[in-house]
Amino acid sequence: MTRTKWIATALGALALVAALVWAFRPDPVPVDVAEVIRAPMQVTVSAEGISKVRDTYLVTAPIAGVAERSPVAVGDAVRQGETVVARITPADPQLLDVRARAEAEAAAREAR
């Protein structure tokens, strides 16, 4: 092999290696650039979730009324007989029509 062929082969191999390096190099990754300052750190996480209730408890009352805001919060310990879970105020009286008034008066007379 002559000296010229050897140089041509070396240059060709070098060009092939350079082409392979250029073809397989990773693309640049875009980044955010900001000035570094000292301040309180603030992180906000915003996501939607689904809650699943494992044990549900039904609180019922044998009277009609309006339930006030519950005095206990979620996660508070509740013991039977010690903690008030709900307060119920009497419902506003309904207007009596002629028939309902007659029935109410009859029930009151019967009760006497």
Side-chain angles (χ1 to χ4, degrees):
M1 193 181 228
T2 64
R3 188 175 197 164
T4 310
K5 279 188 169 182
W6 188 81
I7 292 175
T9 304
L11 286 176
L14 186 61
L16 180 65
V17 168
L20 287 173
V21 168
W22 181 78
F24 290 110
R25 70 184 173 141
D27 292 331
V29 178
V31 295
D32 293 332
V33 179
E35 181 180 346
V36 177
I37 58 172
R38 183 176 295 264
M41 183 173 174
Q42 179 180 5
V43 177
T44 304
V45 177
S46 176
E48 293 184 19
I50 297 173
S51 62
K52 295 183 180 181
V53 178
R54 293 185 184 182
D55 298 323
T56 57
Y57 297 97
L58 180 64
V59 178
T60 60
I63 60 171
V66 178
E68 296 178 2
R69 186 178 295 265
S70 180
V72 294
V74 175
D76 287 351
V78 177
R79 297 188 192 278
Q80 183 178 359
E82 295 179 7
T83 307
V84 175
V85 176
R87 295 182 193 272
I88 301 175
T89 57
D92 293 332
Q94 297 180 355
L95 296 175
L96 297 177
D97 57 357
V98 177
R99 180 178 175 192
R101 183 180 180 99
E103 288 178 359
E105 288 174 352
R109 278 193 306 268
E110 193 174 315
R112 281 192 223 127

